[in-house]
């Protein structure tokens, strides 16, 4: 091993001497480099190899010199180290990617092709690596043939990978576009095109059409179909291909809301008139309003043909998006508002408005001061989504905001519908509302009632809130009374005891006996293993002092 290392170091002497001649290193610095290199060489030659040693050596070698004769030998040495490292730790994808990045940085195209080939042979199960290699072949080496070959190989391993098909489809369209530009330039230069033998099928994107047809056989669904259509729309020579994709989409995915949503939104783009600087704002607003009406006509047809929650969600979402768009036209804004309120109501009356959209509708109604309608809608929502905690919470928040007289009644109704295990947020909302709307006696009675819930997660949290409320409203004596009253009312939380300890410490004359009592009760409840944060707190310091006021 020593002879091999000496040989490697001797091979480096010419470049080190060159470094000294060009003034980049002094003689002492050269000696230091040799010493460090020797140590690193021993590390990577021993039997028990460590990946970190290779990375350290690569980083050590990686100086950025401008002399070609120095750069070449250093780059070649790093290449050798990368090759040995990736050969030893084949499964380390990040190591492979580092090698790829190094080759790209130094424009080592031939070597990078080999790196990609070796990496993909070991990691064929990662589509992203195939795409990376194919893109490099297409964009850097300008080899559509190599890129196509890689995509075809990748699809043998991943025949149902949407991303591979999307990028392969894009690559074939890019190839066709490139050929079209070349042909145009040659025609302008009046060159003989027969020499170049351009294929009309390729120029019109037929290879991409083949990819598309194969893809939709393997991967179903409107979303994938639309992703290919969006790629095709990036190229101006794909009108026929776009038409085919759209027709296939309508024929095979008419029962998918995404299809209808796309068709409706297309109306915003179709039939656009050339913009004119002399067009009045009123004229432009009128054109926009007309297009939006056409969109809604398609959506109306959609909810008739496909009356489902997802379809109504697409319709309502579209109306919300248009309403939230800025416009200087008050007439257009009013039109959008009326349309949105109408669509919300229609979906609600059909019992097909998704639960998550009710909150936005109610918020809008409150902003418009339509209190009676908001109350009515909220009641209808909880009737439809009876067990939903979020729906009841939304309805209660509406009633609280409107200062309704039936808030307490609604809370009672909610607890009949919602499961106890899900009721914590409702109890929290109730006591918070009661603190501001009711007497202390009524609020305390509510806290006492919440403690009877058989769900530990609810009762434990409500004890913490009860203690905190008692201290805020009645001071130390009230908090101490509540704490004592809950002596046997298990379960407790550590936060409950920590809060009482904190309250005691905030008093001008806190008692050590009380602190000891709280700590010992916590110890009985949880044991020392679960009280690490209490044991290491300032309380411990107090307990270690003599029995005297803090």
């Amino acid at each position: 091993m020593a002879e091999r290392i000496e040989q490697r170091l001797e091979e480096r002497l010419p470049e080190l001497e060159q470094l000294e001649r060009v003034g980049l290193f002094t003689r002492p610095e050269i000696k230091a480099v040799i010493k460090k290199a020797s140590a690193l060489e021993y590390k990577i030659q021993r039997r028990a190899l460590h990946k970190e040693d290779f990375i350290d050596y690569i980083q050590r070698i990686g100086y950025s010199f401008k002399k070609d004769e120095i750069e070449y030998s250093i780059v070649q040495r790093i290449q050798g180290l990368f090759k040995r490292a990736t050969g030893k730790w084949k499964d380390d994808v990040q190591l492979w990617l580092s090698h790829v990045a190094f080759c790209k940085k130094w424009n080592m195209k031939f070597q990078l092709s080999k790196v990609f080939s070796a990496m993909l042979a070991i990691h064929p199960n990662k589509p992203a690596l195939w795409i990376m290699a194919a893109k490099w072949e297409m964009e850097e080496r300008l080899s559509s043939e190599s890129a196509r070959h890689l995509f075809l190989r990748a699809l043998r391993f991943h025949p149902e990978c949407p991303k591979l098909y999307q990028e392969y489809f894009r690559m074939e369209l890019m190839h066709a576009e490139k050929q079209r530009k070349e042909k145009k330039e040659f025609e302008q230069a009046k060159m003989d095109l027969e020499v170049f033998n351009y294929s009309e099928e390729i120029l019109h994107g037929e290879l991409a059409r083949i990819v598309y047809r194969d893809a939709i056989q393997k991967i179903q669904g409107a979303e994938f179909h639309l992703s290919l259509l969006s790629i095709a729309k990036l190229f101006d020579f794909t009108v026929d291909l776009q038409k085919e994709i759209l027709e296939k989409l309508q024929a095979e995915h008419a029962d998918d809301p995404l299809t209808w949503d796309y068709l409706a939104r297309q109306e915003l783009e179709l039939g656009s008139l050339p913009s004119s600087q002399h067009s009045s704002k009123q004229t432009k607003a009128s054109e926009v309003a007309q297009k939006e009406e056409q969109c809604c006509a398609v959506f109306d047809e959609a909810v008739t043909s496909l009356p489902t929650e997802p379809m109504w969600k697409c319709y309502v979402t579209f109306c919300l998006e248009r309403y939230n768009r800025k416009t200087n036209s008050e007439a257009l804004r009013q039109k959008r508002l009326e349309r949105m309120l109408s669509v919300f109501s229609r979906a609600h009356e059909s019992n097909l408005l998704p639960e998550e959209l009710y909150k936005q509708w109610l918020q809008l109604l409150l902003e418009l001061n339509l209190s009676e309608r908001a109350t009515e809608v909220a009641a209808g929502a909880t009737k439809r989504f009876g067990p939903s905690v979020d729906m009841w919470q939304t309805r209660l928040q509406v009633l609280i905001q409107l200062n309704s007289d039936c808030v307490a009644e609604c809370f009672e109704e909610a607890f009949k519908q919602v499961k106890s295990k899900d009721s914590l947020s409702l109890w929290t909302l109730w006591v918070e509302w009661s603190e501001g709307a009711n007497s202390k006696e009524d609020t305390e009675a509510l806290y006492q009632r919440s403690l009877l819930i058989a769900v530990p997660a609810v009762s434990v949290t409500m004890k913490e809130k009860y203690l905190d409320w008692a201290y805020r409203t009645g001071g130390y004596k009230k908090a101490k009374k509540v704490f004592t009253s809950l002596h046997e009312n298990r379960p407790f939380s550590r936060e409950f005891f920590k809060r009482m300890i904190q309250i005691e410490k905030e008093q001008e004359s806190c008692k050590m006996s009380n602190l000891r009592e709280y700590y010992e009760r916590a110890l009985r409840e949880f044991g020392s293993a679960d009280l690490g944060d209490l044991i290491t707190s300032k309380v411990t310091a107090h307990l270690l002092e003599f029995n005297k006021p803090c």
Side-chain angles (χ1 to χ4, degrees):
M1 182 174 72
E3 292 179 0
R4 190 184 309 120
I5 293 172
E6 288 298 325
Q7 182 180 355
R8 288 181 179 275
L9 293 176
E10 288 178 3
E11 291 173 354
R12 297 190 62 177
L13 287 177
E15 73 187 59
L16 292 173
E17 291 173 355
Q18 180 69 0
L19 288 171
E20 184 180 2
R21 280 196 298 272
V22 298
L24 290 172
F25 281 108
T26 63
R27 177 54 64 90
E29 286 173 334
I30 293 294
K31 290 182 178 179
V33 169
I34 293 174
K35 183 177 180 181
K36 183 65 177 179
S38 178
L40 291 168
E41 284 285 354
Y42 273 102
K43 283 185 178 182
I44 67 170
Q45 295 295 338
R46 59 191 178 187
R47 288 179 178 274
L49 298 176
H50 299 285
K51 181 168 54 179
E52 293 75 15
D53 294 332
F54 279 82
I55 294 172
D56 187 31
Y57 201 178
I58 290 169
Q59 292 173 340
R60 176 72 184 179
I61 294 175
Y63 301 114
S64 299
F65 302 122
K66 296 184 178 180
K67 296 294 183 180
D68 293 341
E69 60 270 26
I70 299 173
E71 284 181 351
Y72 179 78
S73 59
I74 291 176
V75 168
Q76 291 303 312
R77 186 169 297 106
I78 293 176
Q79 278 282 64
L81 288 170
F82 266 124
K83 187 174 180 179
R84 290 181 61 195
T86 52
K88 175 68 176 178
W89 294 281
K90 295 182 176 67
D91 294 333
D92 192 330
V93 175
Q94 191 55 51
L95 192 60
W96 283 102
L97 294 177
S98 296
H99 195 182
V100 168
F102 176 78
C103 291
K104 285 183 177 180
K105 179 179 179 180
W106 291 96
N107 198 29
M108 305 173 73
K109 295 183 178 181
F110 178 74
Q111 291 86 341
L112 184 50
S113 288
K114 288 187 174 181
V115 172
F116 274 129
S117 179
M119 178 176 67
L120 293 173
I122 295 166
H123 297 285
N125 60 328
K126 295 179 173 58
L129 299 182
W130 288 99
I131 292 171
M132 181 190 298
K135 278 189 172 183
W136 182 79
E137 291 288 349
M138 179 68 185
E139 296 170 8
E140 300 299 326
R141 295 197 70 194
L142 306 178
S143 175
S144 55
E145 189 63 37
S146 297
R148 185 178 298 114
H149 179 66
L150 283 168
F151 275 121
L152 290 172
R153 285 181 59 200
L155 288 169
R156 285 200 289 270
F157 288 99
H158 308 280
E160 297 181 358
C161 177
K163 188 64 175 175
L164 273 174
Y165 271 112
Q166 289 162 356
E167 295 303 326
Y168 185 16
F169 182 66
R170 190 194 311 274
M171 186 277 293
E172 290 295 4
L173 290 174
M174 289 173 62
H175 173 57
E177 184 179 52
K178 176 188 171 186
Q179 295 239 315
R180 292 171 70 89
K181 287 181 179 178
E182 285 181 356
K183 183 182 177 184
K184 184 177 180 180
E185 289 173 359
F186 291 149
E187 286 175 340
Q188 291 175 345
K190 298 181 180 181
M191 296 179 67
D192 184 6
L193 296 180
E194 292 184 4
V195 177
F196 300 100
N197 193 27
Y198 285 108
S199 167
E200 287 299 318
E201 290 186 343
I202 292 178
L203 292 173
H204 287 87
E206 287 302 313
L207 290 178
R209 192 187 301 271
I210 292 171
V211 175
Y212 156 71
R213 290 175 178 174
D214 185 48
I216 62 171
Q217 293 297 319
K218 302 289 196 310
I219 304 169
Q220 303 299 316
E223 183 177 7
F224 177 68
H225 224 110
L226 286 168
S227 71
L228 297 181
L229 181 55
S230 66
I231 293 171
K233 290 178 71 175
L234 298 174
F235 301 86
D236 57 12
F237 61 90
T238 62
V239 176
D240 291 339
L241 178 57
Q242 291 178 46
K243 183 179 179 182
E244 178 181 337
I245 296 174
L246 189 57
E247 289 175 352
K248 197 78 170 176
L249 176 71
Q250 292 176 269
E252 296 187 358
H253 302 290
D255 59 347
D256 194 312
L258 291 176
T259 300
W260 286 101
D261 187 60
Y262 176 82
L263 293 174
R265 291 172 183 272
Q266 277 291 100
E267 296 295 327
L268 291 173
E269 301 177 14
L270 298 176
S272 298
L273 298 175
S275 59
S276 172
Q277 294 180 353
H278 302 290
S279 298
S280 67
K281 292 181 180 179
Q282 185 177 358
T283 303
K284 291 180 179 178
S286 177
E287 291 176 359
V288 171
Q290 184 179 358
K291 288 182 179 180
E292 290 180 359
E293 286 293 339
Q294 292 169 349
C295 290
C296 290
V298 177
F299 273 120
D300 287 334
E301 182 185 352
V303 294
T304 301
S305 302
L306 191 65
T308 62
E309 270 195 20
M311 191 67 258
W312 275 106
K313 182 178 181 180
C314 289
Y315 196 175
V316 172
T317 300
F318 170 79
C319 292
L320 282 170
E321 288 174 3
R322 302 309 295 180
Y323 175 72
N324 290 325
R325 287 179 68 89
K326 292 182 179 180
T327 176
N328 293 323
S329 171
E330 187 58 35
L332 178 57
R333 180 167 179 79
Q334 185 62 30
K335 185 83 172 175
R336 288 170 172 173
L337 174 60
E338 292 172 0
R339 180 192 300 122
M340 182 173 58
L341 291 175
S342 172
V343 172
F344 264 124
S345 294
R346 289 167 57 196
H348 171 65
E349 290 163 5
S350 302
N351 287 326
L352 290 173
L353 182 64
E355 180 182 349
E356 64 269 21
L357 290 177
Y358 272 98
K359 193 168 186 177
Q360 295 182 61
W361 187 16
L362 289 167
Q363 183 180 352
L364 178 65
L365 292 173
L366 291 175
E367 290 174 357
L368 297 170
N369 294 319
L370 299 174
S371 305
E372 187 176 341
R373 180 58 172 158
T375 304
E376 178 188 330
V377 168
T382 52
K383 182 178 180 180
R384 182 177 166 209
F385 301 101
S388 171
V389 177
D390 290 339
M391 204 70 264
W392 279 104
Q393 191 165 356
T394 299
R395 179 183 176 185
L396 286 160
Q397 287 169 340
V398 168
L399 294 177
I400 290 171
Q401 185 171 336
L402 296 174
N403 294 318
S404 173
D405 295 331
C406 57
V407 174
E409 181 183 342
C410 188
F411 270 114
E412 297 288 359
E413 186 182 351
F415 285 114
K416 293 177 183 177
Q417 299 284 336
V418 174
K419 295 179 180 179
S420 296
K421 65 182 181 67
D422 302 324
S423 65
L424 177 58
S425 61
L426 294 182
W427 279 110
T428 300
L429 181 62
W430 198 358
V431 295
E432 288 176 354
W433 168 77
S434 181
E435 288 178 18
N438 296 333
S439 65
K440 291 183 180 180
E441 291 75 18
D442 289 341
T443 301
E444 183 159 20
L446 198 56
Y447 272 114
Q448 291 281 357
R449 180 179 167 185
S450 71
L451 303 180
L452 302 177
I453 303 299
V455 180
V458 176
S459 62
V460 164
T461 302
M462 295 311 295
K463 289 186 186 77
E464 297 170 11
K465 292 184 176 294
Y466 186 16
L467 179 62
D468 194 60
W469 171 82
Y471 185 53
R472 283 189 286 107
T473 58
Y476 172 73
K477 288 185 178 180
K478 179 66 176 177
K480 185 74 163 63
K481 182 180 179 182
V482 168
F483 182 82
T484 304
S485 69
L486 297 176
H487 180 70
E488 297 298 334
N489 196 340
R490 294 180 176 81
F492 298 105
S493 67
R494 289 185 298 171
E495 292 299 322
F496 178 74
F497 290 99
K498 288 171 68 175
R499 180 60 180 137
M500 193 61 221
I501 289 169
Q502 184 62 35
I503 290 171
E504 184 71 45
K505 288 169 61 181
E506 289 175 2
Q507 308 313 305
E508 291 183 3
S509 180
C510 65
K511 294 182 179 180
M512 177 57 64
S513 58
N514 289 341
L515 288 173
R516 183 177 288 110
E517 175 196 346
Y518 307 149
Y519 176 76
E520 288 176 351
R521 283 188 58 183
L523 197 63
R524 287 196 299 272
E525 291 293 332
F526 302 104
S528 59
D530 291 332
L531 290 175
D533 53 348
L534 279 177
I535 293 172
T536 58
S537 70
K538 293 182 179 179
V539 177
T540 307
H542 286 301
L543 294 174
L544 293 175
E545 292 180 359
F546 293 103
N547 189 7
K548 62 181 181 181
C550 299

